[in-house]
Each structure stands twice: as structure tokens, then as C-alpha cells.
Amino acid sequence: MTKFTSNYRRGELSIAFAFAFAGACAMAALAIFVPAYASSPSKPPAADTTDAAAAEPIAPPTTTLGRVRASGKLVIGYRPDAAPMSSRDAQGQAAGYAVSVCKEWADALRKDLAAPSLAVEWQTVGTDFADVQEHRVDMICAGDEVTQASRAQVSFSIPIFPGGVSALVRSDASKSLQAALEERPQPYELLWRGTPPPTLAHRTYSALVGTATMQGLLQRMVELRLTANVEPVADYDAGIAALLKGRTDVLFGDRDKLLQAAQRSSSRQDLRVLTRHFTFVALALAVPRNDDDFRLAVDRALSEVYADPKFGALYTAEFGTPDADTVAFFRSVGVP
């Protein structure tokens, strides 16, 4: 019994010792940490994770519409030497048919985006598409030709003009000559019949020297075995002068440039641009590739511009009264 009691007491002492030792350790730990905490009472608590997330920098927008909304402005590029589509006027401002279309388009886009204060900044761009590819501008407003090669670099809006090669004649040119030039073959047939109408022979034809139009004219004359003269001209004004003085019978060239040159001529009542397109290429606005939302916004706003009666006046001021084919063209390209 004594032995048992003795052992029990030794165990009791061991337990008491363990508790005493643990208490001493706890007091020591408290002695270490409490002064350290007390010495810096103004230390703020750990930041909330939601505050930390809010403090992280916001990634810049990756889409054109996102950048437009974030910046509150559209940056539109134009080419200063691409008349009549885009040019720089005497005051150094953007001018031209495509620029006028884009100004109306910007007003329509403001309404679509519910952003009436959206600003427009105009910047000159080069002859390539680098500025829109590298997002220095949101779009290029210069009436570029839509080709497979250009579509490999940028996307395009719905057309803003039916381009291609047309012909300018004097208003009093013989009806037979005008009818022969206006002849419209059925789809997939040759531009002219195998044997050209006799009225096309022994004429004088002109085009700007060194242009693709001149090369096409010469090639077509060889293919048709057409006996005729060719008089190259330096520019469209020189070509109109040659027409009016009877030195040439027909001036071939880009349709937009022929129409504008005739419209601005003091003798425009004596000139007529034929309705026929000898070649056809759509002219449109260049926008970034792989950005369907922005392209849709562009096309929607352009369609609203075409549906507005003011567009007819805009076109007429630049190119003269549109013919029936041109009216049908703009009705067909608008997105319903």
C-alpha cells in the first residue's frame, strides 16, 4: 500500500510537473510575442483580398469597340493624296467623298452606341494598311479596293462606291459609238463580241499613261484586232481637254475619278460618263481583321447612312446625279 501510494504520488508529481512546465512555456511565448505586438499598435490589419484584387491594374481593351468606349473617341485614318475618295484640303483638314461618308457614319455610330459625345480624330496614313493593323487608327476611310490580296491584311465594310473602269465621252458623241461602248454582254461572255462593231474602229482612245487601265486598253485592242489610235494623257483634266477639243473620242479610267473630273469641269454639260463598268471592283473602308463586332457596327451605321435621303445629296455633290445602276447598287449593299 505504501509502495502504491508512493508510486501514485510520484505520478502525481510528474503530472503536476508537466502542467507546470507547459504553463512556463506558454508564459514564455506570451512574453516573446506580446511585447512585439504592443510595440507597434498602429500596424494595420492584413488587407482584404477583394481590395487587393481591385488594386490590380485593369488590362486594356482588346477589341476596337472596347478601345473606342474606353477612350471616348474614334481614330479614323485617311490618305491625303487619294482624291476623290480622301484628300487634305487647303485648311489641312480631311476631305473627299469617303471622308464625307465617314462623317455621316460617325453620327450614325454615336446613336447606335448611345454615345453622343463620342469624339472623332482624323490622322493621315500611308498607302498600306499598317496603321489599322497595328491599331494606330480604328479604320481607314479612303475607299480602298476590296481584293483577295488586301483582304489577307484587313477586313472591309460593305462597299461605299461601285468602282472599276468606265468611259467618258462627249455628250454629242455619235449614238452608234455610245451604244457600242454601252453594249452589255450576258454574264460570263466576252466584254465585246469576237468582231467589234465597225463604229469602234478608226477611233482615238485615251487613258492615263503608265496605268493598269492603259495596259488593259492596249491588250483589249490586240485581242479584238481593233484598228484604232491611242493617245495617252497625263491626268484626267488633260484627258477631258483632249475630248472637248476632239483629239480623242473616249477617255477610259477609274469610274470615281472620271465622274469627279466631269462634275468639276466647267464644261460638264458637254461630258457623259457611260453607265457601263468595263471592270468592277468595290471600294470600301478598311477595318481590323478578326473583329466582327466592330465590322458589324460599321456596316449597321453605313446602312443607316445609305437609307437617309441626305446621302443622295452627298453623292451628287461629288459625282453628279447617280444613274439607275448606282442607285440599285447602294440599295443592294445595305444590311437590312
Side-chain angles (χ1 to χ4, degrees):
M1 184 69 179
T2 303
K3 185 177 181 180
F4 176 78
T5 302
S6 174
N7 289 341
Y8 173 79
R9 288 179 178 172
R10 282 199 301 271
E12 187 180 54
L13 289 173
S14 298
I15 293 172
F17 177 79
F19 275 109
F21 180 78
C25 289
M27 293 298 294
L30 195 60
I32 292 172
F33 288 105
V34 169
Y37 179 79
S39 64
S40 55
S42 60
K43 182 178 180 181
D48 191 350
T49 55
T50 57
D51 294 337
E56 293 179 0
I58 299 174
T62 58
T63 65
T64 305
L65 282 178
R67 288 190 294 272
V68 168
R69 287 190 175 101
S71 65
K73 68 178 179 180
L74 279 163
V75 183
I76 303 178
Y78 75 99
R79 298 194 174 95
D81 53 358
M85 289 291 144
S86 72
S87 61
R88 180 187 287 143
D89 63 17
Q91 289 72 41
Q93 303 299 312
Y97 167 76
V99 171
S100 297
V101 170
C102 285
K103 288 178 179 178
E104 296 297 322
W105 165 82
D107 288 340
L109 187 67
R110 290 186 182 100
K111 296 177 183 177
D112 289 346
L113 299 181
S117 60
L118 186 66
V120 175
E121 178 182 312
W122 294 90
Q123 290 187 12
T124 58
V125 297
T127 57
D128 57 16
F129 298 110
D131 290 279
V132 73
Q133 289 173 316
E134 298 171 11
H135 305 301
R136 289 191 289 271
V137 299
D138 299 317
M139 65 188 297
I140 295 178
C141 188
D144 290 293
E145 294 185 356
V146 182
T147 65
Q148 291 187 18
S150 58
R151 287 186 65 188
Q153 303 176 65
V154 293
S155 291
F156 288 95
S157 68
I158 57 176
I160 65 168
F161 189 85
V165 173
S166 288
L168 177 66
V169 298
R170 292 186 302 275
S171 299
D172 62 356
S174 68
K175 298 299 182 183
S176 60
L177 174 62
Q178 295 190 47
L181 291 169
E182 287 277 39
E183 180 187 12
R184 302 189 182 200
Q186 296 299 316
Y188 310 111
E189 290 185 2
L190 294 175
L191 205 59
W192 278 318
R193 63 190 72 176
T195 301
T199 189
L200 294 178
H202 308 294
R203 300 281 185 178
T204 299
Y205 301 102
S206 294
L208 269 62
V209 62
T211 61
T213 302
M214 173 60 79
Q215 296 175 1
L217 172 61
L218 294 173
Q219 180 180 352
R220 195 64 181 142
M221 289 175 63
V222 170
E223 293 171 353
L224 295 173
R225 299 179 182 179
L226 183 64
T227 302
N229 299 319
V230 175
E231 180 177 318
V233 293
D235 53 40
Y236 288 96
D237 289 338
I240 287 178
L243 267 176
L244 294 173
K245 292 178 181 179
R247 296 198 306 266
T248 191
D249 296 293
V250 185
L251 173 63
F252 291 96
D254 295 335
R255 184 170 183 80
D256 59 323
K257 295 178 175 62
L258 289 176
L259 286 168
Q260 188 202 50
Q263 175 69 4
R264 295 188 177 182
S265 172
S266 59
S267 302
R268 61 176 174 270
Q269 70 278 1
D270 299 322
L271 300 168
R272 178 185 175 226
V273 178
L274 302 180
T275 60
R276 180 179 178 180
H277 291 245
F278 293 90
T279 66
F280 183 88
V281 61
L283 307 185
L285 310 177
V287 298
R289 287 194 72 194
N290 304 318
D291 197 337
D292 288 343
D293 287 343
F294 182 62
R295 187 172 63 175
L296 176 61
V298 171
D299 289 349
R300 183 188 296 115
L302 272 179
S303 299
E304 294 173 15
V305 171
Y306 297 160
D308 192 320
K310 292 189 301 182
F311 176 69
L314 185 156
Y315 181 97
T316 300
E318 198 70 42
F319 301 118
T321 303
D323 55 38
D325 286 353
T326 301
V327 173
F329 171 83
F330 283 107
R331 286 177 176 172
S332 68
V333 299
V335 179

